[in-house]
Amino acid sequence: MYLVDTHTHVYDHQFSLDRNESMQRALDAGVGMMLLPNVDASTIAPMLELHEQYPDCTRVMMGLQPEEVREDYKEVLSMMEKELEHGIYVGVGEVGLDFYWDSTYEKQQLDAFETQLDWAKQLGLPLSIHCRNAFDKMVKILEKKQDGGLRGIMHCFTGTEEEAKVYLELGFHLGLGGVTTYKNCGVKDYLPNLPLDRIVLETDSPYLAPVPCRGKRNEPAFLVHTAQKIADVLQMPLDDFAEVTTTNAKVLFGL
């Protein structure tokens, strides 16, 4: 079995004591590729260091996570745009909108998101998009910007079936992670209605560990639990489901 974790922050400080062991556990579990989305200016160096250490099983993305957008966002974006010129990046991410805790920087988030969508179109790269408490604003921007040049993943998707259909019609994949295994997650109810060729898997580690690891620090090795749960709901053999989602990720990111 070969799985792709399309969204992991295994370079995060929470892995500082056992990062190499976590990477080995992932490989032993069949997670053969891990995609590393950036967060802010401070995470670029540790992300790249991890990629240099594990060049065969990691790929990197560049972007400014919406919760990290501040007054200086234009300077940060300018630096990140130059970083993208290095050509080692397989995607633009993690980008998006998040007004869950605070909407102080709403205007800046909206502008930063549109700027990074333009990067993705110009460079022909897929996106990893974070959306929380911002569905209507998100869709409005995506509808405005989508001219056939936008593609990517709605990261950590947990919305309704109607919201899923909107994103699918806009040309995006759905990133399903540990939340999908939670008892109160409604995605399981309509999983059989989703097109298999538009589903990819992720952990968002160190966050949102799946059942039966909920409450622990998440890590890429736990992706197998999410894969197994979704395969069970779809009444598919795990190996078959793994093959489909791995192919989806490879095609989307050119792996």
Side-chain angles (χ1 to χ4, degrees), residues 1-68:
M1 182 176 66
Y2 185 104
L3 292 166
V4 177
D5 185 348
T6 61
H7 197 112
T8 174
H9 303 281
V10 71
Y11 57 81
D12 185 86
H13 67 89
Q14 292 189 49
F15 291 95
S16 59
L17 297 180
D18 68 339
R19 184 170 290 106
N20 290 330
E21 292 84 352
S22 295
M23 293 295 291
Q24 190 58 54
R25 286 193 291 269
L27 295 171
D28 291 345
V31 184
M33 180 59 67
M34 289 156 267
L35 305 187
L36 312 176
N38 189 53
V39 176
D40 59 25
S42 71
T43 56
I44 296 173
M47 179 182 72
L48 292 179
E49 287 170 11
L50 181 63
H51 176 53
E52 289 169 7
Q53 188 178 357
Y54 293 93
D56 295 334
C57 62
T58 64
R59 297 292 184 270
V60 288
M61 295 185 242
M62 180 52 56
L64 178 59
Q65 207 259 15
E67 291 174 290
E68 303 305 322

Side-chain angles (χ1 to χ4, degrees), residues 73-86:
Y73 77 101
K74 287 190 176 181
E75 290 138 28
V76 177
L77 288 178
S78 178
M79 179 268 292
M80 290 181 174
E81 187 173 21
K82 290 184 176 68
E83 183 64 31
L84 274 167
E85 294 174 1
H86 294 167

Side-chain angles (χ1 to χ4, degrees), residues 70-117:
R70 300 289 185 270
E71 291 289 355
D72 65 347
Y73 77 101
K74 287 190 176 181
E75 290 138 28
V76 177
L77 288 178
S78 178
M79 179 268 292
M80 290 181 174
E81 187 173 21
K82 290 184 176 68
E83 183 64 31
L84 274 167
E85 294 174 1
H86 294 167
I88 65 169
Y89 298 95
V90 300
V92 175
E94 172 179 357
V95 307
L97 302 174
D98 190 322
F99 307 127
Y100 184 76
W101 296 110
D102 188 6
S103 59
T104 302
Y105 296 103
E106 179 175 333
K107 181 180 177 181
Q108 292 88 343
Q109 278 197 41
L110 293 168
D111 187 51
F113 183 46
E114 291 202 30
T115 296
Q116 293 175 98
L117 291 179

Side-chain angles (χ1 to χ4, degrees), residues 133-197:
N133 277 38
F135 176 76
D136 291 339
K137 291 182 174 67
M138 171 72 64
V139 170
K140 185 177 180 179
I141 292 175
L142 292 178
E143 287 177 340
K144 179 176 74 171
K145 290 287 187 178
Q146 181 60 283
D147 57 4
L150 289 177
R151 57 197 173 92
I153 297 170
M154 301 312 301
H155 150 61
C156 194
F157 180 77
T158 59
T160 65
E161 184 171 6
E162 291 70 28
E163 289 170 345
K165 288 178 179 177
V166 170
Y167 288 136
L168 292 169
E169 288 170 2
L170 281 164
F172 289 91
H173 288 60
L174 304 178
L176 303 183
V179 178
T180 313
T181 69
Y182 299 173
K183 184 177 180 179
N184 62 352
C185 180
V187 175
K188 293 188 295 295
D189 297 336
Y190 61 83
L191 267 172
N193 301 333
L194 297 177
L196 272 177
D197 63 351

